[in-house]
Amino acid sequence: MLSSSGHGGKWESIDVISVNLTLWSLTLLALKDPRRDFRRIHTIKRQLSPKFISDRKNPEDEIQSETLEEPYPRTLRPRISWVGTLVLSIRLTNWKVNDRAHDAHLPPPNNASRRTFALYALRQIITGYLILDLTSSYAHLDPYFHSPLPISSPLPFLSPSSPFPVLLQTILPRLFRTTILASQIYALIPASSTSPRMVATHLALLLRALFRRLAPRAAGLWGEWWHQMSRQVVSTPGRALADALGLENGGREGKRGWQGWARWALVTVSAFGFSGIVHMGLIPPKPLNTGMGAMEMRLWIGAFFWVQVLGFGLEVLGAQAWGYLFPGIGTERRAMRMGVLVWVIAWLCVSLPLIVPPFRELGYWRVWPMPVSVVQGSCGGWVMWA
């Protein structure tokens, strides 16, 4: 993972895959005991008896799910499947790991058919494509995304002599550009993760149709929806350290003692600290035609994740202060929810621009992300990769 050669020193060869796999290996081999604590979750779907489905109109409602937990197998043959699946299940979506913070938030069994998933995935892809197309069209015109201008510099469509107050002219560019950046991230993640699953889903349907003629018991498998890709590999070191120090899990925020808060702090620092190191690998070791060194760009990327610890701390302090000042008013109130929304937007406006300088240096917004643009096509030019 690390190399001492070249100008970048020992950090030159750091990349996302190597850091992720190093942390994943550390989790499975040193910080966890899968043979003792892990349980693989199997969801078995059964057809309901006809007497229970007479009034049901949706065919998917006619399927009942049963969940089984499989511990570490005793014999070699099932162990190969169990261990092989575990090594590939970096999200641990279908695994119980004897950790209440993880096991209590496992997704429920999903009875959705492949057709339902395909329609959902297609909607995700189209939505992400259009959002990415629209935001890229704007980023292509805004000098902020191509030259080292401050984020508060005037927007290209907002004249300096506009009737807006000076304060609004300062806040609006930051808010608008942060929205553009957040929208691109929002569009990229679902579209890029859903597209290969669409291929796998339809390939499974094809294989199932083929093998029904050759082997009736053969069936294709497809994965479940994922959440927080690196959550387990980056937070487990913090949990292991908290366990070694004997810090108990304090439960919900309002009932945590000092040990619960200390454990929460260790897990939070571990999660965002290692997330920053993992994503530093997005920067190539020797970037070309840039005025910023590789390590400087990597620190910008890492800083975005590291400052989230501060954001979490401020959020917790704010929640504690609210509970102390207004003990009878919970977070379910509409005004409270609006306040939380404003806080999240404000924090993103402060922290998200940290990732702009390295992406700008690498020319991220100089390249069109899709071959065909609907937005540009309305102006006369559809093909962007010609």
Side-chain angles (χ1 to χ4, degrees):
M1 181 181 72
L2 302 178
S3 172
S4 59
S5 62
H7 300 289
K10 64 181 181 179
W11 293 96
E12 182 183 79
S13 299
I14 191 172
D15 65 84
V16 174
I17 296 176
S18 63
V19 177
N20 248 329
L21 292 182
T22 300
L23 291 172
W24 184 228
S25 301
L26 179 68
T27 298
L28 295 180
L29 299 177
L31 304 180
K32 294 284 189 179
D33 189 347
R35 290 181 293 183
R36 183 192 64 192
D37 297 332
F38 283 26
R39 300 287 186 274
R40 184 182 177 187
I41 300 175
H42 297 270
T43 301
I44 301 176
K45 298 179 181 180
R46 304 182 187 278
Q47 193 78 18
L48 291 177
S49 173
K51 64 180 180 180
F52 294 111
I53 62 177
S54 57
D55 297 331
R56 298 174 184 266
K57 297 181 179 180
N58 188 351
E60 295 180 9
D61 293 339
E62 301 176 6
I63 300 176
Q64 184 180 37
S65 294
E66 181 181 353
T67 301
L68 302 177
E69 298 182 11
E70 180 189 8
Y72 184 70
R74 295 178 177 273
T75 57
L76 178 61
R77 185 174 180 179
R79 279 182 187 177
I80 295 175
S81 173
W82 195 90
V83 174
T85 304
L86 173 60
V87 172
L88 297 176
S89 303
I90 194 170
R91 309 173 190 87
L92 292 177
T93 304
N94 295 317
W95 292 82
K96 287 189 175 181
V97 299
N98 195 25
D99 184 343
R100 184 172 61 181
H102 170 268
D103 298 346
H105 297 90
L106 288 174
N110 189 355
N111 289 335
S113 64
R114 288 184 175 86
R115 180 178 179 275
T116 301
F117 169 76
L119 292 175
Y120 165 78
L122 186 62
R123 186 169 62 249
Q124 288 282 96
I125 293 172
I126 293 175
T127 302
Y129 194 99
L130 294 177
I131 292 176
L132 193 60
D133 188 16
L134 183 62
T135 53
S136 297
S137 298
Y138 171 78
H140 189 68
L141 301 175
D142 192 339
Y144 168 73
F145 292 100
H146 304 279
S147 57
L149 296 174
I151 192 172
S152 56
S153 60
L155 295 170
F157 58 83
L158 188 63
S159 171
S161 58
S162 63
F164 292 100
V166 176
L167 182 61
L168 184 57
Q169 290 189 25
T170 303
I171 296 177
L172 184 60
R174 178 179 290 272
L175 177 62
F176 188 79
R177 285 168 173 144
T178 302
T179 302
I180 293 293
L181 187 59
S183 299
Q184 287 201 322
I185 297 173
Y186 170 80
L188 275 171
I189 293 178
S192 61
S193 63
T194 305
S195 300
R197 293 204 304 275
M198 279 279 287
V199 176
T201 299
H202 288 86
L203 180 61
L205 287 173
L206 178 62
L207 292 175
R208 185 175 185 179
L210 175 63
F211 281 99
R212 272 178 176 173
R213 300 173 181 267
L214 305 176
R217 294 184 180 180
L221 299 177
W222 54 284
E224 302 290 341
W225 176 257
W226 59 271
H227 181 254
Q228 296 182 352
M229 177 72 172
S230 300
R231 176 177 180 177
Q232 293 302 314
V233 298
V234 297
S235 61
T236 298
R239 291 195 180 96
L241 179 58
D243 291 338
L245 296 175
L247 300 176
E248 298 179 356
N249 194 335
R252 295 190 306 174
E253 288 185 7
K255 299 181 179 180
R256 285 179 181 155
W258 73 267
Q259 289 195 15
W261 283 114
R263 183 183 183 90
W264 175 87
L266 286 175
V267 174
T268 303
V269 170
S270 171
F272 287 106
F274 283 113
S275 291
I277 296 175
V278 168
H279 289 86
M280 286 168 68
L282 293 172
I283 305 300
K286 295 180 180 179
L288 302 176
N289 304 319
T290 60
M292 191 181 295
M295 194 59 193
E296 184 180 357
M297 285 191 280
R298 288 173 172 177
L299 289 176
W300 278 105
I301 296 288
F304 166 71
F305 293 92
W306 299 332
V307 299
Q308 302 310 313
V309 178
L310 174 62
F312 268 51
L314 293 175
E315 187 173 281
V316 168
L317 289 176
Q320 294 294 312
W322 177 273
Y324 178 78
L325 296 174
F326 308 101
I329 303 178
T331 57
E332 69 279 358
R333 296 292 185 91
R334 181 176 299 178
M336 182 62 180
R337 293 201 300 268
M338 287 298 298
V340 171
L341 177 62
V342 171
W343 152 249
V344 172
I345 293 174
W347 178 248
L348 285 177
C349 286
V350 173
S351 62
L352 196 55
L354 290 172
I355 68 174
V356 171
F359 287 168
R360 184 168 54 199
E361 285 288 324
L362 293 173
Y364 176 82
W365 291 284
R366 291 199 298 265
V367 179
W368 214 268
M370 66 275 296
V372 178
S373 170
V374 177
V375 175
Q376 295 299 309
S378 63
C379 302
W382 293 85
V383 180
M384 306 306 299
W385 286 5

